[in-house]
Amino acid sequence: MIARGARVKKVPEPLEGAAENGALVVLSVPRPVAARLAGASATARLAVTLC
């Protein structure tokens, strides 16, 4: 998945004992991109939370 116009807002430090196969990255994206990311999470190893 390529998210054009995405800006990394934050990359929090992992919590102790957190899973080793992933990362939390907080992005700022336009609404249409957010909708596409949310749709992509249905078929990819991607978790999306919108706020």
Side-chain angles (χ1 to χ4, degrees):
M1 173 92 211
I2 296 174
R4 289 194 177 118
R7 293 182 183 253
V8 175
K9 289 298 227 179
K10 187 175 185 180
V11 180
E13 291 294 323
L15 298 174
E16 191 170 319
E20 295 179 14
N21 294 334
L24 174 63
V25 178
V26 179
L27 300 176
S28 175
V29 297
R31 285 180 188 252
V33 175
R36 288 194 299 274
L37 284 171
S41 70
T43 59
R45 289 187 59 197
L46 173 67
V48 175
T49 302
L50 303 175
C51 22

